[in-house]
Amino acid sequence: GNDNPHMQCRQIGKARNGNYLVPVLGRPILYEIDNEGNTVRNYSIRGGAFSVVETKKGNLLLPLGDTHGVQMIDRETGEEIFFFGQDDLSDCKIQFAAEVNELDNGHFMLTNWSGHQSNGNSPQLIEFDASGKVYWTLNDEKYGTLSSHCRWLP
Protein backbone atom coordinates (compact mmCIF):
# COMPACT_ATOMS: atom_id res chain seq x y z
CA GLY A 1 0.00 0.00 0.00
CA ASN A 2 0.78 3.64 -0.24
CA ASP A 3 -0.59 5.96 2.46
CA ASN A 4 0.14 9.18 0.55
CA PRO A 5 -2.85 9.84 -1.78
CA HIS A 6 -0.76 12.21 -3.92
CA MET A 7 1.60 9.34 -4.77
CA GLN A 8 -1.05 6.77 -5.72
CA CYS A 9 -2.55 6.04 -9.16
CA ARG A 10 -2.86 8.82 -11.73
CA GLN A 11 -3.78 7.16 -15.04
CA ILE A 12 -4.79 3.51 -15.26
CA GLY A 13 -4.70 1.88 -18.69
CA LYS A 14 -6.76 -0.98 -20.09
CA ALA A 15 -4.77 -3.59 -21.99
CA ARG A 16 -6.02 -5.32 -25.12
CA ASN A 17 -6.43 -8.54 -23.12
CA GLY A 18 -9.02 -6.80 -20.92
CA ASN A 19 -6.77 -6.47 -17.88
CA TYR A 20 -5.95 -3.16 -16.22
CA LEU A 21 -2.43 -1.72 -16.12
CA VAL A 22 -2.03 0.15 -12.84
CA PRO A 23 1.03 2.35 -12.28
CA VAL A 24 1.59 3.77 -8.81
CA LEU A 25 3.41 7.08 -8.74
CA GLY A 26 5.01 6.42 -5.37
CA ARG A 27 6.33 2.89 -6.09
CA PRO A 28 8.66 1.36 -8.73
CA ILE A 29 6.11 -1.23 -9.80
CA LEU A 30 3.38 -1.68 -12.41
CA TYR A 31 0.48 -3.97 -11.58
CA GLU A 32 -1.59 -5.90 -14.11
CA ILE A 33 -5.01 -6.61 -12.62
CA ASP A 34 -7.85 -8.68 -14.09
CA ASN A 35 -11.55 -7.77 -14.09
CA GLU A 36 -12.03 -9.64 -10.81
CA GLY A 37 -9.45 -7.46 -9.05
CA ASN A 38 -6.74 -10.14 -8.93
CA THR A 39 -3.14 -9.14 -9.54
CA VAL A 40 -1.99 -11.33 -12.43
CA ARG A 41 1.47 -9.82 -12.85
CA ASN A 42 3.85 -7.26 -11.39
CA TYR A 43 6.47 -5.47 -13.47
CA SER A 44 9.53 -3.92 -11.84
CA ILE A 45 10.22 -0.46 -13.23
CA ARG A 46 12.88 2.21 -12.57
CA GLY A 47 10.59 4.56 -10.66
CA GLY A 48 6.99 5.47 -9.98
CA ALA A 49 5.02 5.87 -13.21
CA PHE A 50 2.40 8.53 -13.95
CA SER A 51 0.68 6.49 -16.68
CA VAL A 52 1.17 3.48 -18.95
CA VAL A 53 0.46 2.65 -22.59
CA GLU A 54 0.40 -0.74 -24.27
CA THR A 55 2.17 -0.24 -27.61
CA LYS A 56 1.12 -1.75 -30.95
CA LYS A 57 3.71 -4.49 -30.40
CA GLY A 58 2.26 -5.21 -26.96
CA ASN A 59 5.10 -3.70 -24.93
CA LEU A 60 4.54 -1.33 -22.02
CA LEU A 61 5.59 2.30 -22.25
CA LEU A 62 5.85 4.23 -18.98
CA PRO A 63 6.61 7.88 -18.22
CA LEU A 64 8.33 7.77 -14.84
CA GLY A 65 7.25 11.04 -13.23
CA ASP A 66 9.90 12.47 -10.91
CA THR A 67 12.38 9.79 -11.99
CA HIS A 68 12.68 12.10 -15.03
CA GLY A 69 12.58 9.35 -17.63
CA VAL A 70 10.66 7.10 -19.99
CA GLN A 71 10.94 3.31 -19.95
CA MET A 72 9.69 0.57 -22.25
CA ILE A 73 9.19 -2.93 -20.85
CA ASP A 74 8.78 -6.16 -22.81
CA ARG A 75 5.31 -7.32 -21.81
CA GLU A 76 6.18 -11.02 -22.04
CA THR A 77 9.56 -11.08 -20.30
CA GLY A 78 9.38 -7.98 -18.10
CA GLU A 79 12.82 -6.96 -19.40
CA GLU A 80 13.67 -3.36 -20.19
CA ILE A 81 13.73 -2.50 -23.89
CA PHE A 82 14.85 1.08 -23.40
CA PHE A 83 15.15 3.82 -20.83
CA PHE A 84 15.75 7.50 -21.55
CA GLY A 85 16.71 9.57 -18.54
CA GLN A 86 16.62 13.30 -17.92
CA ASP A 87 19.40 14.22 -20.37
CA ASP A 88 19.17 11.34 -22.87
CA LEU A 89 16.93 12.95 -25.51
CA SER A 90 18.87 15.38 -27.70
CA ASP A 91 18.45 19.05 -26.79
CA CYS A 92 15.65 18.25 -24.31
CA LYS A 93 15.63 17.87 -20.57
CA ILE A 94 13.00 15.50 -19.22
CA GLN A 95 11.46 16.95 -16.06
CA PHE A 96 8.33 15.25 -14.69
CA ALA A 97 7.47 12.64 -17.35
CA ALA A 98 3.67 12.70 -17.18
CA GLU A 99 1.88 11.09 -20.12
CA VAL A 100 3.14 9.27 -23.17
CA ASN A 101 1.43 7.87 -26.25
CA GLU A 102 2.47 5.96 -29.34
CA LEU A 103 1.85 7.80 -32.59
CA ASP A 104 0.74 6.21 -35.88
CA ASN A 105 4.26 6.66 -37.29
CA GLY A 106 5.75 4.53 -34.47
CA HIS A 107 7.19 7.52 -32.61
CA PHE A 108 6.17 8.48 -29.09
CA MET A 109 4.77 11.73 -27.69
CA LEU A 110 5.78 12.62 -24.14
CA THR A 111 4.17 15.28 -21.97
CA ASN A 112 7.03 16.86 -20.04
CA TRP A 113 5.66 18.77 -17.06
CA SER A 114 8.21 21.31 -15.90
CA GLY A 115 6.23 22.63 -12.97
CA HIS A 116 8.81 21.61 -10.36
CA GLN A 117 11.93 22.84 -12.19
CA SER A 118 11.29 24.74 -15.38
CA ASN A 119 14.21 25.61 -17.59
CA GLY A 120 14.69 26.72 -21.19
CA ASN A 121 15.30 23.30 -22.71
CA SER A 122 12.32 21.57 -21.11
CA PRO A 123 9.68 21.47 -23.83
CA GLN A 124 6.09 20.71 -22.91
CA LEU A 125 5.78 17.99 -25.58
CA ILE A 126 8.52 15.82 -27.09
CA GLU A 127 8.15 13.51 -30.09
CA PHE A 128 10.89 10.85 -30.15
CA ASP A 129 11.57 7.34 -31.38
CA ALA A 130 12.85 4.14 -29.75
CA SER A 131 16.46 5.16 -30.43
CA GLY A 132 15.99 8.44 -28.57
CA LYS A 133 16.01 10.64 -31.66
CA VAL A 134 13.85 13.74 -31.17
CA TYR A 135 11.68 14.74 -34.14
CA TRP A 136 9.56 17.58 -32.77
CA THR A 137 9.01 19.58 -29.61
CA LEU A 138 6.57 22.15 -28.31
CA ASN A 139 8.42 24.66 -26.17
CA ASP A 140 6.22 27.73 -25.92
CA GLU A 141 5.39 29.54 -22.68
CA LYS A 142 1.96 30.57 -23.97
CA TYR A 143 0.79 26.97 -23.40
CA GLY A 144 1.91 26.94 -19.77
CA THR A 145 2.89 23.72 -18.04
CA LEU A 146 1.23 20.58 -19.38
CA SER A 147 0.82 17.33 -17.48
CA SER A 148 -1.42 15.51 -19.98
CA HIS A 149 -2.20 15.66 -23.65
CA CYS A 150 -4.94 14.35 -25.90
CA ARG A 151 -4.32 11.24 -27.91
CA TRP A 152 -3.61 12.04 -31.52
CA LEU A 153 -6.46 11.29 -33.89
CA PRO A 154 -5.93 10.22 -37.54
Side-chain angles (χ1 to χ4, degrees), residues 27-146:
R27 300 185 78 201
I29 193 164
L30 171 70
Y31 299 96
E32 184 170 343
I33 299 173
D34 67 17
N35 285 324
E36 304 299 317
N38 301 306
T39 300
V40 296
R41 182 143 188 208
N42 294 331
Y43 299 88
S44 293
I45 57 178
R46 287 187 182 225
F50 183 86
S51 62
V52 60
V53 168
E54 182 181 22
T55 68
K56 294 172 191 163
K57 293 181 180 179
N59 296 315
L60 303 173
L61 185 61
L62 300 119
L64 299 178
D66 276 324
T67 303
H68 307 287
V70 178
Q71 184 178 24
M72 183 178 285
I73 300 292
D74 184 296
R75 178 93 181 271
E76 297 300 316
T77 67
E79 297 295 316
E80 181 175 273
I81 295 171
F82 67 69
F83 172 79
F84 299 116
Q86 187 167 42
D87 297 310
D88 293 338
L89 298 178
S90 59
D91 297 323
C92 298
K93 183 174 279 299
I94 298 175
Q95 297 295 347
F96 183 95
E99 184 178 4
V100 69
N101 281 296
E102 183 176 22
L103 304 177
D104 288 340
N105 63 6
H107 297 168
F108 308 105
M109 184 67 68
L110 172 67
T111 304
N112 188 34
W113 184 65
S114 62
H116 290 308
Q117 304 168 334
S118 183
N119 71 41
N121 68 339
S122 295
Q124 294 106 322
L125 296 173
I126 305 168
E127 179 184 353
F128 65 98
D129 68 14
S131 72
K133 180 177 178 184
V134 174
Y135 290 87
W136 178 83
T137 63
L138 172 68
N139 194 356
D140 193 326
E141 289 183 15
K142 74 180 176 186
Y143 296 106
T145 57
L146 304 176

Side-chain angles (χ1 to χ4, degrees), residues 6-17:
H6 185 71
M7 299 304 285
Q8 293 178 3
C9 302
R10 296 299 176 89
Q11 294 183 4
I12 296 171
K14 188 154 188 178
R16 287 189 288 278
N17 68 5

